[in-house]
């Protein structure tokens, strides 16, 4: 399966094709041939390193670094916590303020008004439009096979996070981290901690938070984007985040 939208003769693909790992090269080639037959070019958006590795020696492809994507092996999470005192401090801060996190069945989460109210409070602080072809914020009505971890303080819902399965890879994408108006410091970290521990228990292979736009914190030497694009990204980051 390849998920894409088409605009001005370009098929913009959300991530890499969903297929068995050993078939990735063949599926990419088949999709690109079909697109060329329809006079369309292909652009892979948020494609990750596995597709980059597949295409890096191809003269027909070029690549642009849009950001970084943090990933973890859930079973290594306790060791990661031991190496980061600031993260442990955030968890302790939320715990000291009586914040607890538990996983809710999707049947309960999908009909709980407190979660929807929390989501609306969070969306009210965001002014950018939704990137509809890649993500949707209103997920509570269609949770299906997702996992939901809810943060509460003294009986009040103050946040939740939604994890979506990554097909064929035994992994999870933490798709949303929602903080309500009354969330305290450390709430997000405590929800991520609970999610990673639960996924480690279920034998998941990896967990990711998805793309962090414009981030340069990558484990390997970043791609050499054109100078004009680096300057544009720098200006955009300064206007949005400073």
């Amino acid at each position: 399966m390849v998920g894409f939208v088409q605009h001005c003769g370009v098929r913009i693909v959300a991530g890499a094709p969903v297929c068995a790992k050993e078939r990735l090269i063949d599926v990419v080639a088949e999709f690109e041939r079909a697109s060329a037959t329809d006079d369309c070019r292909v652009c892979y958006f948020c494609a990750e390193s596995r597709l980059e590795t597949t295409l890096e020696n191809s003269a027909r492809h070029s690549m642009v670094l849009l950001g970084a994507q943090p990933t973890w092996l859930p079973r290594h999470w306790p060791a990661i916590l031991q190496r980061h005192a600031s993260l442990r401090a955030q968890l302790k801060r939320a715990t000291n303020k009586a914040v607890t996190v538990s996983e809710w069945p999707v049947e309960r989460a999908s009909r709980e008004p407190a979660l929807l109210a929390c989501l609306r409070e969070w969306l009210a602080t965001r002014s950018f439009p939704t990137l509809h072809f890649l993500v949707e914020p209103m997920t509570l009505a269609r949770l299906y096979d997702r996992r939901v971890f809810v943060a509460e303080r003294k009986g009040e819902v103050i946040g939740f996070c939604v994890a979506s399965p990554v097909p064929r890879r035994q992994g999870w994408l933490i798709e949303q981290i929602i903080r309500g108006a009354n969330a305290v410091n450390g709430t997000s970290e405590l929800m991520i901690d609970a999610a990673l521990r639960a996924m480690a228990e279920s034998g998941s292979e990896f967990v990711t938070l998805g793309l962090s736009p414009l981030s340069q914190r990558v484990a390997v030497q970043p791609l050499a984007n054109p100078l004009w694009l680096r300057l544009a990204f720098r200006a955009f980051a300064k206007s949005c985040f400073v």
Side-chain angles (χ1 to χ4, degrees):
M1 185 186 74
V2 181
F4 68 92
V5 293
Q6 186 166 315
H7 181 71
C8 295
V10 179
R11 290 178 174 174
I12 306 172
V13 181
V18 179
C19 63
K21 184 177 180 179
E22 61 273 13
R23 292 205 61 229
L24 182 59
I25 295 177
D26 294 336
V27 172
V28 166
E30 182 181 350
F31 175 71
E32 292 183 1
R33 285 195 301 269
S35 299
T37 300
D38 294 334
D39 294 322
C40 289
R41 293 178 295 159
V42 175
C43 173
Y44 299 98
F45 187 83
C46 296
E48 299 185 300
S49 59
R50 63 194 180 106
L51 187 58
E52 176 188 340
T53 302
T54 299
L55 303 179
E56 63 183 353
N57 295 321
S58 171
R60 298 186 299 110
H61 298 87
S62 59
M63 301 180 191
V64 171
L65 179 68
L66 295 178
Q69 178 171 325
T71 61
W72 298 277
L73 297 176
R75 63 182 180 274
H76 292 168
W77 181 243
I80 293 172
L81 276 181
Q82 289 302 313
R83 297 196 302 267
H84 293 83
S86 60
L87 182 54
R88 295 198 305 274
Q90 287 293 86
L91 297 179
K92 186 175 180 180
R93 189 171 297 171
T95 302
N96 287 343
K97 292 187 177 180
V99 179
T100 61
V101 178
S102 59
E103 183 173 4
W104 284 18
V106 294
E107 295 81 6
R108 179 185 179 188
S110 62
R111 63 174 187 267
E112 176 56 59
L115 295 191
L116 184 58
C118 198
L119 176 59
R120 286 171 175 164
E121 290 174 354
W122 182 82
L123 288 174
T125 65
R126 267 67 187 170
S127 58
F128 278 1
T130 300
L131 200 61
H132 289 292
F133 83 97
L134 197 61
V135 294
E136 289 286 352
M138 307 303 290
T139 59
L140 292 174
R142 299 187 304 275
L143 291 174
Y144 302 124
D145 51 358
R146 293 177 167 98
R147 300 180 71 171
V148 183
F149 298 86
V150 180
E152 298 176 88
R153 184 171 185 249
K154 299 179 180 179
E156 176 191 6
V157 172
I158 60 173
F160 66 91
C161 70
V162 178
S164 300
V166 180
R168 297 277 188 169
R169 298 180 65 190
Q170 293 184 287
W172 293 87
L173 163 66
I174 298 182
E175 185 176 358
Q176 292 181 314
I177 303 173
I178 306 300
R179 286 167 47 98
N182 294 325
V184 301
N185 289 338
T187 299
S188 296
E189 289 84 353
L190 199 62
M191 291 190 294
I192 292 173
D193 176 69
L196 280 162
R197 292 180 185 277
M199 291 164 186
E201 290 180 3
S202 62
S204 299
E205 292 295 325
F206 81 100
V207 174
T208 177
L209 293 181
L211 178 71
S212 297
L214 306 183
S215 173
Q216 296 293 312
R217 300 185 64 179
V218 293
V220 296
Q221 182 66 27
L223 295 172
N225 289 342
L227 177 61
W228 67 267
L229 187 58
R230 297 201 303 270
L231 294 175
F233 281 175
R234 187 178 305 169
F236 181 76
K238 185 175 181 180
S239 65
C240 292
F241 305 118
V242 176

